[in-house]
Amino acid sequence: MNKYDYLVVGAGLFGCTFAHEATKAGKKVLVVEKRPYIGGDCYTEEREGIHVHMHGPHIFHCSQKYLWDYINQFATFNNFQLRVKANYKNKLYSFPINLSTMHEVWGVTTPAEGLKKISETTIPCENPKNFEEYAISQIGTDMYQMFIYGYTKKVWNKEPSLLPSSIIKRLPYKSYHCGRHYPDTDIYEGVPIGGYTQIFEKMLEKSDVVFNTDFFNHKDFLETLAAKVVYTGSLDQYFNYKYGKLEFRSLRYQIERHDGDYQGHAQINYTDEDVPWVRIIEHKHFEFKAHLPYTYISKEYPARYDGSNLPYYPINDEVNNALHKKYLQEAQSLPNLIVGGRLGEYRYQDMDVVLASALHTVQQELSNKI
């Protein structure tokens, strides 16, 4: 007889949410985590009162009140709003592209003037076949070259003309003054006071958790412990790469301590191709601690994923998507396997999307048990 109802592989947002809801319903859950901490890429670490986002900035934002209410039961969120700056050739610009950016680049002062300049530089394309065609058809050649081309090439290590157009749809432009990074429809936004790690600790209070354990080193034994496996890793590895390997891009973070205030802003993107990092994060600004006489920053460098580092960005081209679909079909044929999370679904997802998916999955699973 199984000791646990569920074995959750991976203590990221999806796994922790599933475990929390399952234990709340009286189920026994074992969580296995390869890293020495919980929270996955959302993990934060306190350093001298500053909560450092160890795997890049995570700002929870959503349009649905039930998601905001759900995450707020585990921590008090502040009202931080992400407003990014772009550094292009040592000059700062408002970003994402909005009327303020158009004024900084072209000197225009009204939405009509801005839209006119955009239209003069766009190259229409009814059926964009790649990232570059789509971007230029939307924002024009000037904005593309300044803010998109170099940044994108660094992140993906590919010419944008070889990337799918779906990637750029995460970066719309606004014809009015608005430095806010996320869509206007996302009326809820903030960062937990005290960092994200506390959220995952509360979520897993009733679960058994094992750290520093690679699931694949003990797969046969671990799977005997539970009636079902909730797997949040990459599907190609689960099936021992039988159809081939899915492609990812990785990142490397260089965390530094400095005196004073390093850049006066939470996030600045570096869009020049010849600057090796893609952005610098100054963590104390997430919690409005600019007054502190010291600071911590993260320089974010794109990196090749080689299996020894962390997979961050799935490369969602036709070949990889078809390969993932093949793995997913096999996973769905196994009645004792549940797949979820950013890696399992092979999609770059914001936190609200992962949370909604986890809640839907666990609620569906538990309703089937009634």
Side-chain angles (χ1 to χ4, degrees):
M1 187 173 179
N2 300 118
K3 184 178 179 181
Y4 296 95
D5 297 292
Y6 298 101
L7 167 66
V8 176
V9 181
L13 179 57
F14 187 98
C16 288
T17 302
F18 190 103
H20 176 74
E21 291 299 310
T23 55
K24 194 167 69 172
K27 304 299 181 183
K28 295 191 67 177
V29 177
L30 172 64
V31 179
V32 175
E33 172 55 53
K34 184 178 181 179
R35 307 182 210 184
Y37 51 81
I38 55 177
D41 293 345
C42 301
Y43 170 66
T44 53
E45 185 175 294
E46 183 180 349
R47 299 193 178 186
E48 299 181 82
I50 297 172
H51 292 90
V52 177
H53 298 218
M54 300 300 288
H55 299 283
H58 284 79
I59 295 85
F60 192 92
H61 59 97
C62 64
S63 61
Q64 297 173 288
K65 188 174 186 298
Y66 87 95
L67 294 174
W68 183 248
D69 289 343
Y70 185 88
I71 201 71
N72 271 264
Q73 70 181 299
F74 304 106
T76 300
F77 278 67
N78 63 22
N79 62 348
F80 176 85
Q81 289 189 340
L82 182 61
R83 297 175 184 272
V84 177
K85 294 292 183 182
N87 183 311
Y88 177 71
K89 298 190 181 301
N90 292 319
K91 290 186 178 181
L92 293 179
Y93 298 87
S94 180
F95 193 80
I97 297 164
N98 64 87
L99 185 55
S100 296
T101 322
M102 298 175 201
H103 173 73
E104 291 156 356
V105 174
W106 294 314
V108 301
T109 57
T110 68
E113 291 173 338
L115 291 174
K116 183 173 183 293
K117 290 295 291 186
I118 289 281
S119 67
E120 288 172 355
T121 62
T122 57
I123 300 175
C125 183
E126 289 186 11
N127 267 317
K129 298 181 178 64
N130 58 59
F131 180 109
E132 184 165 277
E133 287 183 355
Y134 180 84
I136 292 175
S137 73
Q138 297 297 306
I139 61 174
T141 53
D142 291 357
M143 295 294 182
Y144 174 70
Q145 287 295 330
M146 289 180 68
F147 304 118
I148 306 300
Y149 174 79
Y151 187 93
T152 302
K153 186 175 179 181
K154 288 190 292 187
V155 169
W156 299 100
N157 194 34
K158 286 185 179 182
E159 285 292 333
S161 59
L162 301 177
L163 293 168
S165 61
S166 58
I167 297 172
I168 191 63
K169 292 177 182 178
R170 291 177 53 82
L171 295 172
Y173 73 88
K174 301 171 183 179
S175 61
Y176 50 93
H177 291 289
C178 180
R180 187 167 177 243
H181 185 74
Y182 297 116
D184 296 339
T185 51
D186 283 0
I187 58 176
Y188 306 103
E189 182 178 357
V191 172
I193 300 170
Y196 280 99
T197 301
Q198 59 178 320
I199 294 174
F200 302 105
E201 290 172 344
K202 292 172 184 175
M203 283 183 165
L204 296 181
E205 283 178 341
K206 295 182 179 179
S207 296
D208 290 339
V209 184
V210 179
F211 295 103
N212 298 307
T213 301
D214 189 331
F215 167 72
F216 293 100
N217 290 341
H218 313 278
K219 183 174 181 290
D220 292 340
F221 168 71
L222 288 170
E223 289 189 328
T224 66
L225 298 179
K228 282 194 172 183
V229 174
V230 179
Y231 180 72
T232 67
S234 183
L235 279 177
D236 56 348
Q237 187 176 12
Y238 186 86
F239 291 106
N240 199 27
Y241 310 106
K242 62 190 293 185
Y243 303 123
K245 290 187 177 182
L246 292 167
E247 288 185 285
F248 292 89
R249 284 289 286 166
S250 188
L251 296 167
R252 177 176 63 85
Y253 292 96
Q254 181 177 308
I255 298 174
E256 302 172 358
R257 185 191 189 279
H258 293 270
D259 292 332
D261 199 327
Y262 186 82
Q263 63 184 18
H265 205 69
Q267 178 175 327
I268 297 181
N269 292 0
Y270 286 75
T271 60
D272 280 337
E273 185 181 353
D274 57 353
V275 176
W277 54 81
V278 290
R279 55 187 179 180
I280 296 179
I281 309 302
E282 188 163 10
H283 301 273
K284 70 179 181 180
H285 292 293
F286 292 133
E287 294 184 279
F288 311 117
K289 294 181 178 179
H291 61 280
L292 292 176
Y294 52 85
T295 193
Y296 282 87
I297 67 164
S298 298
K299 290 182 179 177
E300 184 177 303
Y301 296 83
R304 182 177 68 88
Y305 174 64
D306 60 12
S308 65
N309 49 6
L310 295 173
Y312 282 99
Y313 299 123
I315 300 178
N316 291 120
D317 57 19
E318 289 184 11
V319 173
N320 281 288
N321 287 341
L323 182 58
H324 177 260
K325 184 178 180 180
K326 198 170 184 179
Y327 281 120
L328 186 60
Q329 288 172 338
E330 183 157 351
Q332 290 170 340
S333 71
L334 301 177
N336 296 328
L337 179 64
I338 298 169
V339 175
R342 177 178 56 87
L343 296 181
E345 295 181 22
Y346 199 62
R347 285 284 182 270
Y348 183 86
Q349 297 174 330
D350 288 331
M351 295 175 70
D352 63 317
V353 176
V354 176
L355 179 60
S357 175
L359 289 173
H360 173 76
T361 301
V362 69
Q363 288 164 4
Q364 189 175 51
E365 169 67 16
L366 295 174
S367 67
N368 290 337
K369 299 293 184 182
I370 298 175

